[in-house]
Structures are given as C-alpha cells and as structure tokens.
Amino acid sequence: MKPFLIALFLGFSIVANAQNKVAGVVFDAQNNPIIDVNISIPEIHKETISDANGKYQITNLPSGNFKIIFSYIGFATQTKDFSSKEKINIVDVILLETVHQMDEVIVSTVFNKLQSQNVMKVEHESVKTMQQKGATTLIEGLATIPGVSQISTGVSIGKPVIRGLSANRVLVYSQGVRLENQAFGDEHGLGLNDSGVDGVEVIKGPASLLYGSDALGGVLYFIPEKFAKSNTFGVDIGQKYFSNTLGSTTNIGAKGSTDRFKFLSRVNNTRHSDYKIPEGNRVTNTRYNELDFKTGIGYSDSNFSSEFRYNYNQILLGIPEEGIAEQTTAKAPQYPRQAVYNQLLSLNNTVFLGNSKLDFNVGYIFNDRAEFPESSTPGSNWHLKTLNYDVKFHLPKTSKTETIFGAQGMHQTNLNVGTEYLIPDAITNDIGAFGTTRYEFGSNVLQAGIRYDVRKINSIEHLNFGDEGYLAPIDRKFDSFNASLGYKTSIYKATILRLNLASGFRAPNIFELSSNGVHDGTIRFEIGNPNLKSEQNFQTDLNLEYKNSHFELFVNGFYNKINNYIFIAPNGTKNNGFDVYDYLQNNANLYGGEAGIHFHPHPLDWLHITSSFESVTGKKSNGDYLPLIPANKWNNTLRIDFKSNKTFKDGFASANIEHTLNQNNVGQFETKSNDYTLFNFGIGGKIQLGKSAFNLNLNANNILNKSYIAHLSRLKNAGIPNIGRNIILSICFSI
C-alpha cells in the first residue's frame, strides 16, 4: 500500500508540475508597474490581480487558444490572444490611461465577448454603481438604466419593465439559472436581493434564441458575486440606514480561495417600516422584512471547472389596501400580507476538450408563495418546483468563426396548498434546441442563429363542472421556431453601428389559461382563457455609438410587432363584490428607444456630465394604447471623481435631476399621469485611517421632498404619492 501511495503522490506532483500557466507584467505608458489590475480568462472562469510589481500568473490552464483580458479603472481594457500549449506562456501588456469606464465581458449572450465586441447591445450595470445612486432595492437600481422601469407597490414590491413589456415577458436569470417564482402578477416582486450580486446585464428585446419562451421582451441576467482571487481570504461587514422608512440593512460576507478551491457566504437582513409621503403621513402596511442568504463553492483545474451556489430568500410584506390609515413605525406586516420563501440551487460546470468545451448547468428552485387576506391561515398558497437544465457545446474556433449548439429544458410543477384555488395544480414541460454562429471579417461581425421550442401544460380538474370555483383541466401544447440575425461594424474608428433582427415567443401561462377566482394580491376576480395562443413577435433594433477621449454618444431605436398580445381587462360585471377581469388577445406594436451622452472635458477628466432620454409607445392593432407603458424620462447627472489621496480614495460626488414627462397615452382603463422632477444627491468613497479602511456612502433621494405619483405605481388609482425624501447612509468594513 505504501509504494502505491508514493506512486500516487508522485503522479499528482508530476501532473501539478506539468500544468500550463500564463504569466506576465502589467505596465503603464511610462513603464511603471500597475498594482491590482484585474486579469481574467472568462472562457475558463479564471481570474487574478497583479501584485505590487505588476506581476501576475494564472495556473492550471487547459490546452487551447484563449483571450486574456486586462481591466483597471482609469485605463482602457485590453485583450490579448494566446495559446496555452506551452508550459509557461508569457503575456506582458501596457495599459493606456482613459477616462472611460472599463469595458465589461458580457456573459448573457453565450460568446462572452467584451461589450465593444458584442453584436447585441447589452446594458451592463454593477450593483456598486446602483448603490452609489442611492437605490433602496435592486429593482429601484434597475430602473435607473435607460429603457428599464418598474411597476411598484410602495418600496416593497417592484417588477421590471423593459421597453414597455413586463411580467412573464421579461425573463430573469440568477446564478446562471432561469428564475421561476410566480412572476405572472404585477403585485409580485422580483424575489431577489442585491446582496451577493455583482451586477446585471439587460438584453432589451427578443432573446428567445438563447433562452426560449418568456424571453419575448428581454432578459435580466444577474451576475453573482465573484469568488475571492486565488490564495486570498476576506470578511466584510456592511450597514445601511434609510431615513424615510426608518429601515436598516445588515450585510455580512466571507470568502476565500486557493489555486483550485474557492468558497463564499453572505447573509443580509433588511427591515422597513411604512414609507412616508411628502405630506408627512405614512402609507399603511407598506412595511416589509427580508432575509437573504447566499453561499457557494467552486473548483477548477486544467480539465474541469464547477461552481455550486445556493440562495435562500424570505420576504414578509404588507399589502396596502387602506391607504393613509393607522400611523405607526412598526415593522411587522399587518393583514393582508404576503409571505414568500424562495430557494435556488445551481450547479454550473465546464469541461475543457482541447480547443472546444462543454457547458452543463442545472438548477432547482422551490418557491412557496402565500397570501394571507385577514388571518394566519393562507388564502392562496402555491408551491412551485422547477428543475432547469442547459447544455452548450462550443465547437473549435477558427480565426474568424465561433459556433455553439445547445439544448435547454424545464420541468415545473405547481401545487395548491391553501384554502382558495385561483388556478389548478399543473405541470409544465419545456424543451428547446438552438445553434448560433459568429463570423468576423475585418471590422465587421455577423451573428446568426435558429431555435425550436416546445412547451406542454397539463393541469388537473378541480371540483365539478358547474360548481363555484370550478377549474377545468388544461392540456395544451405550444411550439415555435425563432431566429436572429445581427450585424456590427465600425463606420469610422470611433463609431460603432449595430443592427439586430430577432423573433421571440411566449406561451401563455397557467394563470392566463385557467384562472377562476379572486386574486388576493390584485383584489379582483380573474377568469382565464383556455383558447389563448402564443404571443409571437419580431423586433428590429438599431444602435449607434460614438466614443472619443472626452465624449460619448449613443442612440438606440427599436420597433417591436407582437401578434396575439395577451392582456387583462374588466368585463363590466362583478362576482361576490369583486370586478371581473378576462384575459384577452390583440395584436400590438411597440416602438421607441433611448439616447444619451457622456461628456468629460479635458483637462477636467474628473468631471462627468451624463444625460439620457428614453421613450416607448405601445398600441393595439385597433389604435388603442397598451396599458402599463412607462412615461418618457429625461435623466441628467453631474459627477465628480476625486483623485486618490492618503485619507480619501476613490471618492465621488454626484447631483442628479430626473424629469418624468406626462403620460397621456394610456390604456382603456388607466388614468393619465402628470410630469414631475426629482433631485438626488450622493457622495462617498473609501476612507483610510492608518491600517483601517472602510467605504462610506451618503445619498439623498427626492431631496426637495417632491410629492408625485409615478404612472406605473399600483397605488396611483388611490391617489397615494410615491416615497418622499429618503436619506441613505451606508458603511462597509473589510477585514
């Protein structure tokens, strides 16, 4: 046995010593080494930073051709091609200073290119940036991205809207897994906490080629917190205070890594009282409590990479029905209220096969959503269990071509465990297959793909025909072919043009097909339509970008034609005192876009002036306007970045003016909305006191305490204003 162990040890030593690696030094234009440069190889999930001498190395590389990316704030991002066929590969680089933001690697569009190289225009926003804007919640931060809005119920519930489309038309991915948490209702929140999330990528338009059904309107792809760099360990503790809701957030995280193994854990606890309107009163029962826990482990070597992550999220929230009633600062929700428990497990694997690779991801989600109308006994209570899988094979690259084939599927069961049945118990099965190719020629890139999907929905009959609350069985099959074609070119050296044509589809969900009862969250009687057809759309996107050393400009335009658009409308009758709503269909068209500038004049490179405008119009084929279309918005920000010094590092100060225009183009059962202007302010940075350091941010939102009602607020019909002045103080220590 002893000789065997010795031989085994020697074998491992030989393998370890034989591993390929890439190493080098990062310099600036004056040949000075740069410390803390982020060096990554996204294709194999490897990342490190440069040391005090500018040196770096990444070990355990598989054989193949890769791109290594060097990024650092204040310097232009660079990519280098190298082949890891040698035991030691030397890649040195010189970074040039720039005032532009770092060029991010886009992971939601499968080819993992830098945004400047991507055929599709994808918005990337870091959670850190959203927090510096004073966002109270994750969805509030998303709504600062041009083209993204939210349907809100106070501050506790927010649903994303991308260019006028929301609910099941916007697909959400977290930890590389399709998030399923009863997203059908506008009174259901996103179900995600920004704790343990690095950032988000927003695809504004059909992404059915990559993700199948429900990606008709776009995708929110949340990027989980990165593991620690190799051979490091750290702990951080953060605290936030919110003046308006008397709320607080406590956040504690720890993570560490060796060359091959890595782990992280993070817990977040948030508590808010009812929010206060500018007149001084609080909106009764808009309080909520949230607990979020995330953890993960990872392993990588020269042949295999794997990450397992787990997220538990619990949110208890009140449903405001009385408006301005009991005035209290209590944080325990009253009735009616919701309790939502969500567990997400994901396993993401990559197998390296020479010049090709295989990605295999699997996810499991358990969502328990309960609605309590007036007591601790739930009315509606659904248990949603979802198993997802995703397989992608990357063919060997050529100098001009990359090709990926993939398959995705979902098995989902929905079970009623409450006393009230709004929908029947049901099973949904998805399966889809796709292929996509990227071809580069000169300064041009062409990307095309095709996909076929099948969705089957089967439900169980509830009660007998003719009984009150009867739910008929559903046995429906929906299938669809979809395709996309994208083209990117450099018109001039500093100008990029992107043109994308894509189709998408969305199969109706079980609520739209078979509802028959009172929906507690929306306070209405909903009747489904078992004969609904799939929504099918075709969208054209045009993006133009210009960028030089001191000025940036972008213009995005889109036209989206949707056949069989599903919407809900009252039929003029009542059932047990509730207005009855039916699910209907009509063809629809949406069009609009976003435009913006970023000006940083020389030599005042620390000064940033940004301005953006966004607009969307939605109409049915009969000329009526679609409901829940956000108002046009003009956003302007003046930001100052402070140069590093011994005490105050990476500092910033910003002043923001957000003007939302009138919304007079409203749906048949909507009311018009007035314009309003909000003023926001923020300041923060890293404070160094001896060997101790901490990040400190102070934000004041709606600083003039303006009384306004957002068009997409679900409290608008009751005449209840949105949140008044809110001062947010956050501090984070790293140990």
Side-chain angles (χ1 to χ4, degrees):
M1 182 59 126
K2 187 174 180 180
F4 171 77
L5 293 175
I6 294 174
L8 186 63
F9 174 77
L10 290 175
F12 277 126
S13 299
I14 292 172
V15 170
N17 291 332
Q19 299 303 326
N20 299 338
K21 71 176 182 180
V22 60
V25 185
V26 185
F27 300 99
D28 62 16
Q30 288 74 42
N31 283 329
N32 298 313
I34 310 176
I35 186 175
D36 289 338
V37 175
N38 193 77
I39 302 109
S40 64
I41 309 175
E43 295 172 282
I44 56 175
H45 313 292
K46 294 280 191 178
E47 187 173 356
T48 189
I49 58 174
S50 58
D51 63 17
N53 298 312
K55 295 181 179 180
Y56 75 92
Q57 70 171 3
I58 300 177
T59 60
N60 298 317
L61 300 181
S63 297
N65 299 316
F66 300 103
K67 287 184 181 294
I68 184 168
I69 299 173
F70 302 84
S71 56
Y72 189 65
I73 295 176
F75 291 82
T77 299
Q78 279 205 40
T79 63
K80 293 280 189 178
D81 295 313
F82 78 98
S83 176
S84 66
K85 297 177 181 178
E86 302 296 331
K87 183 176 179 181
I88 300 178
N89 304 270
I90 303 299
V91 179
D92 296 331
V93 67
I94 296 175
L95 298 185
L96 301 178
E97 290 191 64
T98 180
V99 292
H100 297 311
Q101 294 181 346
M102 292 189 300
D103 202 359
E104 301 285 351
V105 177
I106 301 300
V107 299
S108 58
T109 55
V110 303
F111 286 107
N112 293 165
K113 299 295 181 182
L114 292 173
Q115 177 56 66
S116 59
Q117 304 167 335
N118 210 37
V119 171
M120 297 177 66
K121 173 62 177 177
V122 179
E123 302 286 350
H124 178 100
E125 188 84 344
S126 70
V127 165
K128 180 180 179 181
T129 300
M130 290 189 285
Q131 290 173 342
Q132 287 181 348
K133 296 176 183 178
T136 303
T137 63
L138 182 57
I139 181 60
E140 190 177 303
L142 292 174
T144 64
I145 299 172
V148 182
S149 307
Q150 67 162 327
I151 298 172
S152 64
T153 306
V155 295
S156 61
I157 300 175
K159 289 197 67 64
V161 180
I162 298 179
R163 289 176 169 173
L165 296 178
S166 59
N168 284 104
R169 298 180 182 94
V170 174
L171 189 59
V172 178
Y173 258 64
S174 179
Q175 299 176 190
V177 173
R178 172 191 179 123
L179 187 64
E180 294 287 325
N181 61 353
Q182 308 283 9
F184 66 95
D186 53 12
E187 85 293 355
H188 293 177
L190 189 62
L192 283 176
N193 188 287
D194 62 6
S195 171
V197 176
D198 263 6
V200 63
E201 294 175 3
V202 183
I203 301 176
K204 293 182 287 191
S208 291
L209 171 70
L210 303 177
Y211 298 106
S213 180
D214 299 350
L216 176 141
V219 174
L220 295 175
Y221 195 98
F222 290 96
I223 302 168
E225 178 180 1
K226 295 180 180 179
F227 288 98
K229 303 294 191 296
S230 296
N231 301 308
T232 62
F233 175 81
V235 176
D236 62 86
I237 302 173
Q239 185 69 39
K240 284 186 180 181
Y241 174 76
F242 306 84
S243 68
N244 184 286
T245 60
L246 303 179
S248 66
T249 295
T250 303
N251 192 312
I252 302 174
K255 55 184 177 181
S257 180
T258 66
D259 282 336
R260 301 194 183 196
F261 290 95
K262 45 198 175 182
F263 84 95
L264 61 79
S265 284
R266 186 166 296 280
V267 63
N268 178 285
N269 186 48
T270 299
R271 293 168 59 83
H272 287 275
S273 301
D274 298 337
Y275 80 83
K276 184 188 295 184
I277 62 176
E279 287 78 5
N281 291 317
R282 296 189 180 275
V283 182
T284 305
N285 209 27
T286 55
R287 68 204 70 164
Y288 72 98
N289 302 320
E290 184 175 16
L291 175 66
D292 188 86
F293 172 72
K294 293 183 176 75
T295 190
I297 57 174
Y299 172 81
S300 62
D301 61 22
S302 60
N303 301 308
F304 180 71
S305 174
S306 181
E307 291 184 4
F308 171 79
R309 293 180 185 256
Y310 172 75
N311 178 207
Y312 173 81
N313 183 272
Q314 168 191 305
I315 183 167
L316 308 175
L317 52 93
I319 303 297
E321 286 187 342
E322 300 179 3
I324 310 298
E326 179 188 8
Q327 295 295 293
T328 175
T329 57
K331 292 182 171 57
Q334 297 177 341
Y335 299 108
R337 67 187 186 191
Q338 287 185 5
V340 185
Y341 307 88
N342 200 71
Q343 297 185 72
L344 169 59
L345 298 91
S346 63
L347 181 63
N348 304 310
N349 307 286
T350 301
V351 180
F352 306 109
L353 306 168
N355 292 326
S356 62
K357 67 176 182 177
L358 178 69
D359 294 328
F360 176 70
N361 304 324
V362 62
Y364 176 78
I365 304 169
F366 176 68
N367 180 264
D368 178 4
R369 180 180 294 275
E371 298 182 349
F372 302 85
E374 54 190 18
S375 69
S376 58
T377 300
S380 300
N381 191 357
W382 303 297
H383 285 179
L384 188 69
K385 301 177 182 179
T386 307
L387 178 67
N388 292 307
Y389 66 84
D390 178 358
V391 181
K392 290 189 285 288
F393 180 66
H394 301 244
L395 270 63
K397 300 178 186 178
T398 68
S399 59
K400 296 183 177 180
T401 305
E402 295 181 54
T403 301
I404 298 174
F405 291 101
Q408 294 167 329
M410 179 182 78
H411 175 74
Q412 184 177 87
T413 62
N414 189 82
L415 179 67
N416 286 275
V417 294
T419 60
E420 300 175 5
Y421 274 57
L422 174 61
I423 58 171
D425 297 341
I427 296 175
T428 302
N429 284 291
D430 283 1
I431 188 167
F434 73 94
T436 181
T437 296
R438 173 189 169 93
Y439 177 68
E440 296 188 29
F441 52 105
S443 61
N444 307 286
V445 183
L446 192 67
Q447 186 174 315
I450 189 169
R451 178 179 179 125
Y452 176 70
D453 284 275
V454 176
R455 167 168 285 188
K456 293 183 178 181
I457 301 178
N458 299 95
S459 70
I460 300 173
E461 185 179 34
H462 176 64
L463 300 179
N464 298 313
F465 181 76
D467 292 343
E468 183 179 355
Y470 171 72
L471 298 173
I474 298 292
D475 185 3
R476 296 290 307 274
K477 174 184 175 182
F478 306 91
D479 64 339
S480 179
F481 275 103
N482 288 281
S484 71
L485 177 65
Y487 173 69
K488 169 187 168 291
T489 187
S490 296
I491 301 177
Y492 300 105
K493 183 177 180 181
T495 306
I496 294 176
L497 174 70
R498 295 182 176 92
L499 175 64
N500 282 273
L501 310 174
S503 66
F505 88 108
R506 183 183 75 90
N509 60 48
I510 191 64
F511 290 86
E512 295 164 334
L513 292 169
S514 61
S515 297
N516 187 21
V518 176
H519 190 173
D520 296 322
T522 58
I523 321 173
R524 63 194 181 197
F525 195 101
E526 300 181 3
I527 298 178
N529 183 349
N531 299 314
L532 292 174
K533 300 177 182 179
S534 289
E535 296 179 336
Q536 189 78 44
N537 78 326
F538 184 82
Q539 181 166 314
T540 301
D541 282 276
L542 183 65
N543 164 246
L544 182 67
E545 294 180 2
Y546 172 80
K547 181 183 295 186
N548 64 27
S549 299
H550 305 287
F551 182 77
E552 301 172 44
L553 167 71
F554 73 88
V555 179
N556 307 323
F558 76 95
Y559 184 85
N560 187 6
K561 179 177 177 56
I562 306 177
N563 294 326
N564 304 316
Y565 181 88
I566 299 171
F567 61 98
I568 192 169
N571 62 20
T573 66
K574 287 184 178 291
N575 189 313
N576 293 324
F578 294 90
D579 291 329
V580 178
Y581 282 67
D582 294 327
Y583 283 98
L584 306 172
Q585 287 190 297
N586 202 326
N587 294 340
N589 299 287
L590 295 100
Y591 52 90
E594 307 87 36
I597 61 170
H598 179 191
F599 180 50
H600 29 80
H602 183 75
L604 308 178
D605 293 337
W606 43 266
L607 176 64
H608 301 267
I609 302 170
T610 61
S611 180
S612 66
F613 181 79
E614 56 190 280
S615 174
V616 58
T617 300
K619 289 185 176 182
K620 301 176 188 176
S621 58
N622 62 5
D624 291 343
Y625 287 103
L626 292 176
L628 299 177
I629 299 298
N632 297 343
K633 186 167 65 175
W634 185 27
N635 206 314
N636 302 276
T637 301
L638 176 68
R639 177 182 169 113
I640 297 172
D641 290 333
F642 302 122
K643 293 293 184 180
S644 299
N645 57 53
K646 293 182 179 180
T647 303
F648 197 50
K649 299 182 178 181
D650 302 327
F652 76 94
S654 65
N656 171 259
I657 303 175
E658 178 184 303
H659 180 66
T660 301
L661 281 68
N662 294 324
Q663 179 54 292
N664 296 321
N665 302 331
V666 296
Q668 184 178 358
F669 305 102
E670 283 187 306
T671 57
K672 297 180 180 180
S673 302
N674 296 325
D675 66 331
Y676 56 90
T677 302
L678 303 179
F679 293 85
N680 310 303
F681 175 78
I683 188 170
K686 185 176 182 179
I687 298 176
Q688 187 81 39
L689 299 175
K691 295 183 178 180
S692 301
F694 60 92
N695 288 295
L696 182 68
N697 283 351
L698 178 66
N699 295 88
N701 294 338
N702 190 7
I703 194 169
L704 299 182
N705 210 26
K706 170 73 174 179
S707 182
Y708 71 99
I709 302 178
H711 182 67
L712 297 186
S713 168
R714 292 186 63 248
L715 304 180
K716 182 181 70 166
N717 290 339
I720 299 175
N722 286 67
I723 189 170
R725 182 187 299 113
N726 191 20
I727 297 174
I728 305 170
L729 176 65
S730 65
I731 187 169
C732 181
F733 291 89
S734 296
I735 302 175

